[in-house]
Amino acid sequence: MTADVFAALASPVRRELTALLLSGPRSVNDLASHFEMSRPSVSEHLRVLRDAGLVSEERSGRRRLYRLEAEPLMEVSRWLSPYERFWRDRLAGLRELLNEDGDDHEH
């Protein structure tokens, strides 16, 4: 996994673009309609996502369709997995502590 993937996903706009692409391929115009920014600005965000391998571009005549690519996201998920377990364990410990504390107040 490269830093490019994290850098690409650091932008809220690019995270929103990837969320929009979850439902399937979309054109630049369709994607741009969800933002209050120019189509060239959306295209620049899509280029960053494409360069990071998060989206692919398919040309159909004059139209460009963008598709979400799963592999870089799977790499991020694998990388985050130990941290997810860490936080789940920490939250479970906090829940137990709070339940114990609650039990003390009942008696």
Side-chain angles (χ1 to χ4, degrees), residues 14-79:
R14 292 192 287 269
R15 287 194 307 271
E16 180 64 21
L17 285 167
T18 59
L20 289 168
L21 291 169
L22 279 171
S23 62
R26 292 182 180 227
S27 70
V28 177
N29 288 335
D30 180 20
L31 292 166
S33 71
H34 293 271
F35 298 93
E36 292 184 15
M37 66 176 68
S38 69
R39 185 181 168 278
S41 293
V42 171
S43 292
E44 180 63 24
H45 283 289
L46 287 166
R47 185 189 62 76
V48 172
L49 290 169
R50 189 183 70 234
D51 290 350
L54 290 160
V55 301
S56 60
E57 177 187 75
E58 177 184 321
R59 292 176 190 237
S60 177
R62 290 183 48 149
R63 243 174 117 199
R64 292 181 190 186
L65 292 177
Y66 288 85
R67 176 185 321 273
L68 188 62
E69 295 297 329
E71 183 57 34
L73 293 173
M74 290 169 48
E75 290 178 29
V76 169
S77 179
R78 284 191 292 269
W79 186 84

Side-chain angles (χ1 to χ4, degrees), residues 89-100:
D89 292 347
R90 295 288 293 245
L91 290 172
L94 178 59
R95 190 177 310 112
E96 288 175 20
L97 180 65
L98 291 174
N99 284 340
E100 288 173 11

